[in-house]
Amino acid sequence: MRNFEYARAADVEQAIVLHGRDANTVYLAGGTTLLDLMKLDIIRPARVVDIHKLGLDKVEPLPDGKVRIGAMVSNTDLARHAHIAQHYPVLSESILSGASTQLRNKATTAGNVMQRVRCGYFRDGVSPCNKRTPGAGCAAIDGLNRNVHAVLGGSPQCIAAHPSDMCVAMVAIGATIHVQGPNGTRDIAFADFHLLPGDTPWKEHALEPDEMITHITLDAPMPGSRSAYLKLRDRTSYQFALASSAVILALDGNTMRDIRIALGGVTTRPWRAPDAEAVLRGKPLSEALIREAAVAAMAGAVSYGQNAFKIPLGQQAVIRNLSRLTA
């Protein structure tokens, strides 16, 4: 562990001042990712700003049907919150499918949104990795890429899959990320927050260096909807998704009135699948239509040898979830 300066902020404004635009300063929330990467010597902060005392730990249902979630709400408190469990079951299920109870007790909502990839080449500190060292190359392209590497949204510069389950549910629900910096506040649509790797895989999100997340607001629930999160993995405990799907739908009889589908495990960022939604929306359900939607969800997928199985597995994540919700 390298030496670093520690500072505790009393409010949001002080936290922003303490952080500034210094790339060597980081915020300490739950620490479940930060401390891990510091121990691996992947992140080497000169200063750590503790933001535990900022009062950003409330889940607040709003009059317009939306829900405002503080950045410091723990994953456990969010998943177990009565309003979330009742009106956003897909979100509750996604959070409870990830990590362990102990980690969920510490991990925070904003920390989950900001967590880094689990690619072994990124985390080993020595292999070529464009996320860690821009221009170094991507060892995963021709290397071990079965488990935590994507078939959708990748580029020749990076194919690391986004690790979050919670974010897959949030991009299906629809949400807004509220951030604050020295120039005031601004809102970022959740679907636009995480960036595709493209030619700049080290740029993972739309947050400016001197900004911090303060809240996330979920869109109001789809009227008359049901929802579920399905996670496919090698084992059912403490494992990242090989493929996952978050599905929210509303039926009129046997006709799909509205539908939202998002994917995880197979993608480089939380991935909404509008082409798959368009296949289903306004049409009578059938097994053949569900399979057509699953194929559309994975359209454009590119495999890299060992992770080729993720293309049919991603389709199965959609098929099984849709079939269960409409049974």
Side-chain angles (χ1 to χ4, degrees):
M1 179 71 76
R2 297 171 183 265
N3 291 331
F4 59 87
E5 179 185 345
Y6 172 85
R8 174 174 286 179
D11 53 41
V12 173
E13 289 73 19
Q14 186 183 29
I16 292 167
V17 171
L18 288 170
H19 188 286
R21 294 186 62 87
D22 186 358
N24 291 319
T25 300
V26 296
Y27 290 119
L28 173 64
T32 57
T33 293
L34 173 63
L35 298 183
D36 192 22
L37 292 176
M38 287 174 66
K39 290 175 182 178
L40 291 171
D41 207 28
I42 304 304
I43 296 178
R44 304 169 182 175
R47 173 187 287 179
V48 173
V49 179
D50 189 333
I51 57 174
H52 280 81
K53 302 297 184 180
L54 307 189
L56 303 175
D57 57 353
K58 303 291 190 300
V59 178
E60 303 169 286
L62 303 176
D64 59 1
K66 297 181 180 181
V67 176
R68 183 177 171 91
I69 304 165
M72 292 297 296
V73 173
S74 75
N75 283 182
T76 294
D77 287 347
L78 183 58
R80 299 297 188 187
H81 193 279
H83 188 86
I84 298 298
Q86 179 180 354
H87 296 285
Y88 301 93
V90 66
L91 179 57
S92 182
E93 290 175 11
S94 69
I95 295 171
L96 293 174
S97 74
S100 64
T101 301
Q102 293 87 344
L103 284 172
R104 291 195 298 268
N105 288 344
K106 292 293 293 180
T108 63
T109 299
N112 194 314
V113 170
M114 294 288 291
Q115 68 179 296
R116 308 296 299 275
V117 298
R118 277 356 193 234
C119 173
Y121 298 111
F122 168 73
R123 296 168 71 87
D124 69 14
V126 294
S127 298
C129 173
N130 288 316
K131 276 190 182 295
R132 192 181 65 248
T133 308
C138 177
I141 296 287
D142 297 315
L144 300 174
N145 55 39
R146 176 189 182 272
N147 294 335
V148 291
H149 295 91
V151 293
L152 285 169
S155 77
Q157 309 303 318
C158 180
I159 58 170
H162 194 273
S164 174
D165 296 294
M166 184 195 80
C167 289
V168 179
M170 283 190 173
V171 80
I173 294 166
T176 302
I177 296 179
H178 309 284
V179 305
Q180 186 169 335
N183 297 320
T185 62
R186 69 185 181 106
D187 298 338
I188 306 171
F190 195 92
D192 298 330
F193 184 80
H194 298 96
L195 306 179
L196 292 172
D199 292 329
T200 55
W202 53 91
K203 296 180 180 179
E204 297 180 348
H205 50 73
L207 202 65
E208 295 296 332
D210 53 1
E211 292 178 325
M212 67 175 291
I213 297 172
T214 59
H215 298 84
I216 296 175
T217 299
L218 302 179
D219 291 352
M222 181 191 296
S225 65
R226 62 187 77 169
S227 67
Y229 184 76
L230 176 64
K231 182 175 183 176
L232 305 179
R233 44 191 163 170
D234 284 328
R235 62 178 189 270
T236 57
S237 176
Y238 199 58
Q239 184 81 343
F240 294 101
L242 295 172
S244 67
S245 69
V247 175
I248 307 169
L249 60 84
L251 293 170
D252 284 334
N254 192 46
T255 299
M256 187 70 70
R257 171 163 53 86
D258 203 358
I259 176 75
R260 297 174 192 167
I261 299 173
L263 299 170
V266 296
T267 63
T268 57
R269 69 176 183 181
W271 192 270
R272 185 81 177 265
D275 291 343
E277 297 169 0
V279 169
L280 295 163
R281 189 174 289 113
K283 298 174 184 176
L285 277 176
S286 67
E287 183 178 335
L289 192 69
I290 288 175
R291 291 188 176 277
E292 182 183 346
V295 171
M298 296 300 296
V302 177
S303 66
Y304 296 87
Q306 296 173 0
N307 70 354
F309 76 100
K310 285 194 171 188
I311 298 176
L313 192 69
Q315 294 173 357
Q316 282 298 311
V318 174
I319 291 170
R320 295 184 197 180
N321 209 352
L322 278 168
S323 299
R324 182 176 63 178
L325 277 172
T326 58

PDB file of all heavy atoms in Angstrom, residues 176-195:
ATOM      1  N   THR A 176     -31.929   9.190 -14.221  1.00  0.00           N
ATOM      2  CA  THR A 176     -31.114  10.392 -14.416  1.00  0.00           C
ATOM      3  C   THR A 176     -30.082  10.448 -13.299  1.00  0.00           C
ATOM      4  O   THR A 176     -30.411  10.257 -12.127  1.00  0.00           O
ATOM      5  CB  THR A 176     -31.979  11.662 -14.376  1.00  0.00           C
ATOM      6  OG1 THR A 176     -32.987  11.587 -15.389  1.00  0.00           O
ATOM      7  CG2 THR A 176     -31.122  12.904 -14.611  1.00  0.00           C
ATOM      8  N   ILE A 177     -28.825  10.706 -13.671  1.00  0.00           N
ATOM      9  CA  ILE A 177     -27.750  10.850 -12.694  1.00  0.00           C
ATOM     10  C   ILE A 177     -27.515  12.342 -12.461  1.00  0.00           C
ATOM     11  O   ILE A 177     -27.293  13.099 -13.410  1.00  0.00           O
ATOM     12  CB  ILE A 177     -26.466  10.168 -13.185  1.00  0.00           C
ATOM     13  CG1 ILE A 177     -26.688   8.648 -13.310  1.00  0.00           C
ATOM     14  CG2 ILE A 177     -25.297  10.458 -12.256  1.00  0.00           C
ATOM     15  CD1 ILE A 177     -25.493   7.884 -13.802  1.00  0.00           C
ATOM     16  N   HIS A 178     -27.587  12.755 -11.206  1.00  0.00           N
ATOM     17  CA  HIS A 178     -27.380  14.153 -10.834  1.00  0.00           C
ATOM     18  C   HIS A 178     -25.963  14.312 -10.300  1.00  0.00           C
ATOM     19  O   HIS A 178     -25.545  13.574  -9.390  1.00  0.00           O
ATOM     20  CB  HIS A 178     -28.391  14.569  -9.771  1.00  0.00           C
ATOM     21  CG  HIS A 178     -29.808  14.249 -10.130  1.00  0.00           C
ATOM     22  ND1 HIS A 178     -30.534  14.980 -11.046  1.00  0.00           N
ATOM     23  CD2 HIS A 178     -30.628  13.244  -9.716  1.00  0.00           C
ATOM     24  CE1 HIS A 178     -31.738  14.459 -11.170  1.00  0.00           C
ATOM     25  NE2 HIS A 178     -31.820  13.395 -10.379  1.00  0.00           N
ATOM     26  N   VAL A 179     -25.239  15.249 -10.871  1.00  0.00           N
ATOM     27  CA  VAL A 179     -23.860  15.471 -10.456  1.00  0.00           C
ATOM     28  C   VAL A 179     -23.674  16.926 -10.060  1.00  0.00           C
ATOM     29  O   VAL A 179     -24.433  17.810 -10.469  1.00  0.00           O
ATOM     30  CB  VAL A 179     -22.861  15.084 -11.569  1.00  0.00           C
ATOM     31  CG1 VAL A 179     -23.077  13.651 -12.022  1.00  0.00           C
ATOM     32  CG2 VAL A 179     -22.964  16.028 -12.749  1.00  0.00           C
ATOM     33  N   GLN A 180     -22.659  17.163  -9.248  1.00  0.00           N
ATOM     34  CA  GLN A 180     -22.356  18.520  -8.789  1.00  0.00           C
ATOM     35  C   GLN A 180     -20.860  18.753  -8.887  1.00  0.00           C
ATOM     36  O   GLN A 180     -20.052  17.875  -8.587  1.00  0.00           O
ATOM     37  CB  GLN A 180     -22.830  18.729  -7.356  1.00  0.00           C
ATOM     38  CG  GLN A 180     -22.682  20.160  -6.845  1.00  0.00           C
ATOM     39  CD  GLN A 180     -23.411  20.390  -5.532  1.00  0.00           C
ATOM     40  OE1 GLN A 180     -24.372  19.687  -5.220  1.00  0.00           O
ATOM     41  NE2 GLN A 180     -22.977  21.380  -4.767  1.00  0.00           N
ATOM     42  N   GLY A 181     -20.506  19.961  -9.317  1.00  0.00           N
ATOM     43  CA  GLY A 181     -19.117  20.358  -9.426  1.00  0.00           C
ATOM     44  C   GLY A 181     -18.963  21.806  -9.033  1.00  0.00           C
ATOM     45  O   GLY A 181     -19.913  22.446  -8.574  1.00  0.00           O
ATOM     46  N   PRO A 182     -17.790  22.389  -9.216  1.00  0.00           N
ATOM     47  CA  PRO A 182     -17.565  23.786  -8.829  1.00  0.00           C
ATOM     48  C   PRO A 182     -18.428  24.774  -9.608  1.00  0.00           C
ATOM     49  O   PRO A 182     -18.657  25.898  -9.152  1.00  0.00           O
ATOM     50  CB  PRO A 182     -16.077  23.998  -9.102  1.00  0.00           C
ATOM     51  CG  PRO A 182     -15.684  22.908 -10.036  1.00  0.00           C
ATOM     52  CD  PRO A 182     -16.569  21.754  -9.720  1.00  0.00           C
ATOM     53  N   ASN A 183     -18.926  24.357 -10.769  1.00  0.00           N
ATOM     54  CA  ASN A 183     -19.770  25.241 -11.580  1.00  0.00           C
ATOM     55  C   ASN A 183     -21.261  24.976 -11.391  1.00  0.00           C
ATOM     56  O   ASN A 183     -22.083  25.476 -12.154  1.00  0.00           O
ATOM     57  CB  ASN A 183     -19.406  25.093 -13.060  1.00  0.00           C
ATOM     58  CG  ASN A 183     -17.987  25.527 -13.344  1.00  0.00           C
ATOM     59  OD1 ASN A 183     -17.517  26.524 -12.789  1.00  0.00           O
ATOM     60  ND2 ASN A 183     -17.289  24.789 -14.193  1.00  0.00           N
ATOM     61  N   GLY A 184     -21.602  24.187 -10.376  1.00  0.00           N
ATOM     62  CA  GLY A 184     -23.011  23.924 -10.107  1.00  0.00           C
ATOM     63  C   GLY A 184     -23.388  22.482 -10.393  1.00  0.00           C
ATOM     64  O   GLY A 184     -22.547  21.585 -10.411  1.00  0.00           O
ATOM     65  N   THR A 185     -24.677  22.278 -10.636  1.00  0.00           N
ATOM     66  CA  THR A 185     -25.210  20.933 -10.838  1.00  0.00           C
ATOM     67  C   THR A 185     -25.585  20.715 -12.296  1.00  0.00           C
ATOM     68  O   THR A 185     -25.835  21.665 -13.037  1.00  0.00           O
ATOM     69  CB  THR A 185     -26.452  20.704  -9.964  1.00  0.00           C
ATOM     70  OG1 THR A 185     -27.478  21.634 -10.348  1.00  0.00           O
ATOM     71  CG2 THR A 185     -26.127  20.895  -8.492  1.00  0.00           C
ATOM     72  N   ARG A 186     -25.631  19.462 -12.703  1.00  0.00           N
ATOM     73  CA  ARG A 186     -26.154  19.096 -14.017  1.00  0.00           C
ATOM     74  C   ARG A 186     -26.669  17.674 -13.964  1.00  0.00           C
ATOM     75  O   ARG A 186     -26.341  16.898 -13.052  1.00  0.00           O
ATOM     76  CB  ARG A 186     -25.103  19.246 -15.119  1.00  0.00           C
ATOM     77  CG  ARG A 186     -23.951  18.262 -15.078  1.00  0.00           C
ATOM     78  CD  ARG A 186     -22.912  18.590 -16.143  1.00  0.00           C
ATOM     79  NE  ARG A 186     -21.802  17.640 -16.146  1.00  0.00           N
ATOM     80  CZ  ARG A 186     -21.619  16.701 -17.071  1.00  0.00           C
ATOM     81  NH1 ARG A 186     -22.464  16.587 -18.090  1.00  0.00           N
ATOM     82  NH2 ARG A 186     -20.585  15.879 -17.009  1.00  0.00           N
ATOM     83  N   ASP A 187     -27.508  17.345 -14.942  1.00  0.00           N
ATOM     84  CA  ASP A 187     -28.129  16.027 -15.025  1.00  0.00           C
ATOM     85  C   ASP A 187     -27.615  15.282 -16.250  1.00  0.00           C
ATOM     86  O   ASP A 187     -27.425  15.872 -17.317  1.00  0.00           O
ATOM     87  CB  ASP A 187     -29.644  16.150 -15.115  1.00  0.00           C
ATOM     88  CG  ASP A 187     -30.247  16.822 -13.890  1.00  0.00           C
ATOM     89  OD1 ASP A 187     -29.585  16.810 -12.832  1.00  0.00           O
ATOM     90  OD2 ASP A 187     -31.362  17.368 -13.992  1.00  0.00           O
ATOM     91  N   ILE A 188     -27.405  13.982 -16.086  1.00  0.00           N
ATOM     92  CA  ILE A 188     -26.944  13.129 -17.177  1.00  0.00           C
ATOM     93  C   ILE A 188     -27.903  11.944 -17.285  1.00  0.00           C
ATOM     94  O   ILE A 188     -28.151  11.253 -16.284  1.00  0.00           O
ATOM     95  CB  ILE A 188     -25.518  12.604 -16.929  1.00  0.00           C
ATOM     96  CG1 ILE A 188     -24.553  13.765 -16.649  1.00  0.00           C
ATOM     97  CG2 ILE A 188     -25.029  11.779 -18.117  1.00  0.00           C
ATOM     98  CD1 ILE A 188     -23.173  13.312 -16.187  1.00  0.00           C
ATOM     99  N   ALA A 189     -28.458  11.703 -18.466  1.00  0.00           N
ATOM    100  CA  ALA A 189     -29.308  10.533 -18.656  1.00  0.00           C
ATOM    101  C   ALA A 189     -28.498   9.279 -18.378  1.00  0.00           C
ATOM    102  O   ALA A 189     -27.351   9.156 -18.825  1.00  0.00           O
ATOM    103  CB  ALA A 189     -29.859  10.505 -20.078  1.00  0.00           C
ATOM    104  N   PHE A 190     -29.079   8.351 -17.633  1.00  0.00           N
ATOM    105  CA  PHE A 190     -28.339   7.145 -17.254  1.00  0.00           C
ATOM    106  C   PHE A 190     -27.815   6.415 -18.481  1.00  0.00           C
ATOM    107  O   PHE A 190     -26.694   5.908 -18.474  1.00  0.00           O
ATOM    108  CB  PHE A 190     -29.246   6.219 -16.431  1.00  0.00           C
ATOM    109  CG  PHE A 190     -28.495   5.137 -15.711  1.00  0.00           C
ATOM    110  CD1 PHE A 190     -28.056   5.323 -14.414  1.00  0.00           C
ATOM    111  CD2 PHE A 190     -28.201   3.928 -16.334  1.00  0.00           C
ATOM    112  CE1 PHE A 190     -27.333   4.343 -13.747  1.00  0.00           C
ATOM    113  CE2 PHE A 190     -27.492   2.939 -15.681  1.00  0.00           C
ATOM    114  CZ  PHE A 190     -27.055   3.154 -14.383  1.00  0.00           C
ATOM    115  N   ALA A 191     -28.604   6.352 -19.538  1.00  0.00           N
ATOM    116  CA  ALA A 191     -28.198   5.631 -20.749  1.00  0.00           C
ATOM    117  C   ALA A 191     -26.979   6.254 -21.414  1.00  0.00           C
ATOM    118  O   ALA A 191     -26.292   5.599 -22.203  1.00  0.00           O
ATOM    119  CB  ALA A 191     -29.358   5.571 -21.734  1.00  0.00           C
ATOM    120  N   ASP A 192     -26.694   7.545 -21.104  1.00  0.00           N
ATOM    121  CA  ASP A 192     -25.563   8.240 -21.720  1.00  0.00           C
ATOM    122  C   ASP A 192     -24.349   8.333 -20.797  1.00  0.00           C
ATOM    123  O   ASP A 192     -23.308   8.856 -21.200  1.00  0.00           O
ATOM    124  CB  ASP A 192     -25.978   9.668 -22.116  1.00  0.00           C
ATOM    125  CG  ASP A 192     -27.084   9.691 -23.151  1.00  0.00           C
ATOM    126  OD1 ASP A 192     -27.147   8.749 -23.959  1.00  0.00           O
ATOM    127  OD2 ASP A 192     -27.890  10.642 -23.136  1.00  0.00           O
ATOM    128  N   PHE A 193     -24.474   7.837 -19.565  1.00  0.00           N
ATOM    129  CA  PHE A 193     -23.409   8.044 -18.588  1.00  0.00           C
ATOM    130  C   PHE A 193     -22.191   7.180 -18.870  1.00  0.00           C
ATOM    131  O   PHE A 193     -21.058   7.651 -18.865  1.00  0.00           O
ATOM    132  CB  PHE A 193     -23.936   7.761 -17.177  1.00  0.00           C
ATOM    133  CG  PHE A 193     -22.936   8.049 -16.096  1.00  0.00           C
ATOM    134  CD1 PHE A 193     -22.740   9.347 -15.657  1.00  0.00           C
ATOM    135  CD2 PHE A 193     -22.183   7.031 -15.528  1.00  0.00           C
ATOM    136  CE1 PHE A 193     -21.807   9.635 -14.660  1.00  0.00           C
ATOM    137  CE2 PHE A 193     -21.250   7.301 -14.536  1.00  0.00           C
ATOM    138  CZ  PHE A 193     -21.063   8.604 -14.099  1.00  0.00           C
ATOM    139  N   HIS A 194     -22.395   5.889 -19.110  1.00  0.00           N
ATOM    140  CA  HIS A 194     -21.278   4.984 -19.376  1.00  0.00           C
ATOM    141  C   HIS A 194     -20.932   5.035 -20.858  1.00  0.00           C
ATOM    142  O   HIS A 194     -21.811   4.954 -21.721  1.00  0.00           O
ATOM    143  CB  HIS A 194     -21.643   3.555 -18.970  1.00  0.00           C
ATOM    144  CG  HIS A 194     -21.936   3.415 -17.505  1.00  0.00           C
ATOM    145  ND1 HIS A 194     -23.221   3.460 -17.006  1.00  0.00           N
ATOM    146  CD2 HIS A 194     -21.119   3.246 -16.441  1.00  0.00           C
ATOM    147  CE1 HIS A 194     -23.174   3.313 -15.691  1.00  0.00           C
ATOM    148  NE2 HIS A 194     -21.919   3.185 -15.322  1.00  0.00           N
ATOM    149  N   LEU A 195     -19.658   5.162 -21.162  1.00  0.00           N
ATOM    150  CA  LEU A 195     -19.198   5.357 -22.528  1.00  0.00           C
ATOM    151  C   LEU A 195     -18.714   4.052 -23.149  1.00  0.00           C
ATOM    152  O   LEU A 195     -18.148   3.197 -22.460  1.00  0.00           O
ATOM    153  CB  LEU A 195     -18.061   6.376 -22.555  1.00  0.00           C
ATOM    154  CG  LEU A 195     -18.361   7.738 -21.893  1.00  0.00           C
ATOM    155  CD1 LEU A 195     -17.126   8.635 -21.974  1.00  0.00           C
ATOM    156  CD2 LEU A 195     -19.561   8.415 -22.538  1.00  0.00           C
TER     157      LEU A 195
END
